[in-house]
Amino acid sequence: MKPFLFSLIVLAVGLTGHSRSPNIIFIMADDLGYGDLGCYGGTMIKTPNIDRLAREGTRFTEAYSGSPVCAPARCVLITGVHTGHARIRDNNPIVGGQIEAFGEGGVRLSLTGEEASIAAALREAGYRTGAAGKWGLSEPDTPGTPNRMGFDEWLGYLNQNHAAYYYTDYLWRNEERMEIPGNDGVKGTVYSNDLFRDFALDFIRQNRDRPFFLYLPVTIPHNRMEVPDLGSYEGNGWPEPWQAYAAMVTRLDNYVGQIMAKLDELDLAGDTLVIFTSDNGPLRGDRTTFLNSAGGLRGSKATVYEGGLRVPLIARWPGVVPADEARDGPWMFVDVFPTLLAVAGAEVPGGLDGISVLPLLTGEPQDLSERALYWEFPKDRLWQAVRLGPWKAVRQGTDQPLELYNLEDDPAETHDVASEYPETASSLAAVMDASHTPDPHWPVD
């Protein structure tokens, strides 16, 4: 272990007063916007528990997903490589893949099982690993299922289309199909995300005496707009789908409160790093505009502008992560893998694209201004984006002109300054070219 990393772990142990490796809980919403939370300036949706998490921890203002859509964002998070190198770069491959088992006719690409996995690495470091929610990275009985990628316990949806159904008639429990009596697949009495909450609470209780990693990628508030009740939003005059969206977010907020209460009940709060985030930005549409879900940022889900990539991210670890602070400094999902291994005091495997931002989490200085962050998204053409210091470059096709924005002056990306800073634009275009590895599943343009 490197001396600097060792000193950080020793510091963390000293501050918490415990010698065990910390537990790690990583909660990820689905299509939650940067501006939906009260602690990020939202005023429309009630999120008291997530806001409390921010008061008791640190809120990061320049955290980014790995992709503007679900499956590749999860691939970047789990495998630690950006979308220029990742196996999964969009929800559906352009070439190849297999018909999804759920039966809606979509074609999916699964992990091969050869990729590095954050769960496998933490399990190797002595952690009990569990996950519940949307996996999105494999079809059934393939080498890329959660249990085969390092999770000891798993409950949830394997593919994207299935995950849209909150009253599904089945989920995957480890490698077995688990039927849900009372649901017909579209309607019913059992709300899938309540089961994920129950899994999380039970996993924490069962593993309270050993270090654990809990990954909770819930499907709230992804379309469809379904929730058991509208709560305080019923009758407020909003269109019902907007009421449902808000109620879904508040329901997720309640889950966060229940998890924090369980940690308090078991005297585990001081031993546990809790991270809350979203997989990408919100959907484009009137609801997002009305609720200001993108927080004034340009774009939405499925774009590489800030509204599609920048996500809320909060970390709480009492005595280690500073309380009631906001920190800037750009980092992204690709950094989660090495950071959590640093938290665990484990060696980081080679071949990852990210770096540990543990100093940023613990309130120490960490200069991230000279490091480039990269995204690509094979939409109708190959969309690419680079963030380097204050600069953000976007290119909508390898043969298209590059757009350049200074995010310090223009966080909403309204003024393209590529013609004013041609050398900067040229250098970021070179980063795009160098970061993209060709892949037969994702041909360019």
Side-chain angles (χ1 to χ4, degrees):
M1 186 183 298
K2 296 180 180 179
F4 177 63
L5 172 56
F6 179 77
S7 68
L8 284 171
I9 298 300
V10 169
L11 171 64
V13 169
L15 287 172
T16 59
H18 298 277
S19 58
R20 59 179 272 178
S21 297
N23 309 311
I24 301 167
I25 299 176
F26 193 97
I27 306 169
M28 185 165 70
D30 195 328
D31 292 359
L32 180 77
Y34 185 83
D36 279 328
L37 305 176
C39 54
Y40 280 87
T43 59
M44 309 291 281
I45 302 176
K46 301 177 181 66
T47 56
N49 295 296
I50 298 171
D51 297 345
R52 174 193 155 199
L53 196 72
R55 287 195 306 274
E56 297 177 358
T58 295
R59 176 174 56 89
F60 295 89
T61 62
E62 295 182 295
Y64 290 92
S65 175
S67 171
V69 295
C70 299
R74 294 156 205 274
C75 183
V76 171
L77 180 72
I78 293 296
T79 66
V81 295
H82 61 58
T83 43
H85 299 151
R87 175 167 171 80
I88 298 174
R89 306 184 186 189
D90 194 357
N91 288 339
N92 308 90
I94 298 170
V95 176
Q98 65 188 102
I99 300 295
E100 65 177 359
F102 181 64
E104 289 197 351
V107 177
R108 303 293 180 188
L109 194 64
S110 297
L111 294 176
T112 67
E114 299 299 318
E115 297 85 0
S117 162
I118 190 171
L122 286 171
R123 186 165 67 179
E124 180 70 20
Y127 278 68
R128 183 73 176 174
T129 58
K134 181 200 283 191
W135 180 241
L137 302 177
S138 68
E139 290 300 301
D141 198 28
T142 67
T145 58
N147 295 106
R148 302 183 197 186
M149 293 297 292
F151 284 101
D152 296 306
E153 298 183 50
W154 151 249
L155 171 69
Y157 305 94
L158 287 177
N159 63 46
Q160 301 296 108
N161 279 341
H162 185 201
Y165 291 82
Y166 290 93
Y167 292 98
T168 179
D169 54 351
Y170 76 94
L171 292 168
W172 292 96
R173 183 68 169 96
N174 296 323
E175 296 285 294
E176 301 295 326
R177 177 169 163 148
M178 184 185 84
E179 304 298 328
I180 304 177
N183 287 3
D184 65 7
V186 177
K187 297 179 181 178
T189 59
V190 180
Y191 195 63
S192 63
N193 283 254
D194 288 352
L195 297 179
F196 305 150
R197 181 268 324 273
D198 294 345
F199 174 100
L201 297 176
D202 192 53
F203 184 84
I204 293 168
R205 180 186 58 79
Q206 289 187 359
N207 295 284
R208 61 188 179 275
D209 294 326
R210 61 178 296 178
F212 63 78
F213 170 52
L214 172 62
Y215 173 48
L216 192 62
V218 298
T219 62
I220 292 174
H222 187 281
N223 270 347
R224 309 147 61 104
M225 294 294 100
E226 295 177 336
V227 67
D229 64 81
L230 298 177
S232 63
Y233 304 99
E234 187 169 9
N236 68 357
W238 300 356
E240 187 170 334
W242 302 0
Q243 294 172 335
Y245 180 90
M248 291 165 79
V249 176
T250 295
R251 194 175 194 87
L252 171 57
D253 182 80
N254 289 336
Y255 296 164
V256 172
Q258 290 167 317
I259 289 170
M260 291 195 292
K262 179 62 67 174
L263 293 175
D264 289 339
E265 173 193 328
L266 299 175
D267 195 27
L268 292 176
D271 281 322
T272 305
L273 169 63
V274 178
I275 295 177
F276 178 89
T277 190
S278 178
D279 64 344
N280 46 246
L283 285 171
R284 181 176 60 183
D286 291 342
R287 183 193 71 224
T288 293
T289 301
F290 176 77
L291 296 173
N292 193 28
S293 292
L297 301 174
R298 178 180 178 180
S300 59
K301 177 179 180 176
T303 77
V304 295
Y305 294 106
E306 294 290 284
L309 293 172
R310 196 183 295 202
V311 292
L313 195 147
I314 301 162
R316 187 191 77 161
W317 184 4
V320 181
V321 173
D324 202 20
E325 286 197 8
R327 295 205 71 178
D328 55 13
W331 61 294
M332 63 181 291
F333 277 12
V334 79
D335 301 318
V336 171
F337 193 149
T339 300
L340 295 191
L341 289 188
V343 166
E347 292 293 332
V348 178
L352 304 186
D353 289 324
I355 64 169
S356 170
V357 294
L358 184 57
L360 195 69
L361 262 64
T362 59
E364 301 298 316
Q366 185 170 15
D367 184 5
L368 300 172
S369 63
E370 298 301 315
R371 185 179 69 118
L373 305 181
Y374 175 76
W375 302 266
E376 65 179 56
F377 179 48
K379 201 175 180 181
D380 47 348
R381 319 191 72 174
L382 181 67
W383 282 35
Q384 295 171 286
V386 171
R387 170 84 194 257
L388 178 61
W391 300 106
K392 170 82 176 291
V394 173
R395 188 166 66 184
Q396 300 183 38
T398 56
D399 61 347
Q400 296 301 301
L402 183 136
E403 305 165 29
L404 182 67
Y405 304 97
N406 186 323
L407 296 181
E408 285 186 0
D409 301 332
D410 181 24
E413 297 169 295
T414 59
H415 182 45
D416 179 1
V417 295
S419 62
E420 301 171 42
Y421 299 93
E423 291 185 3
T424 300
S426 178
S427 66
L428 294 186
V431 173
M432 291 179 176
D433 294 338
S435 299
H436 170 76
T437 299
D439 186 285
H441 298 290
W442 317 100
V444 173
D445 296 332

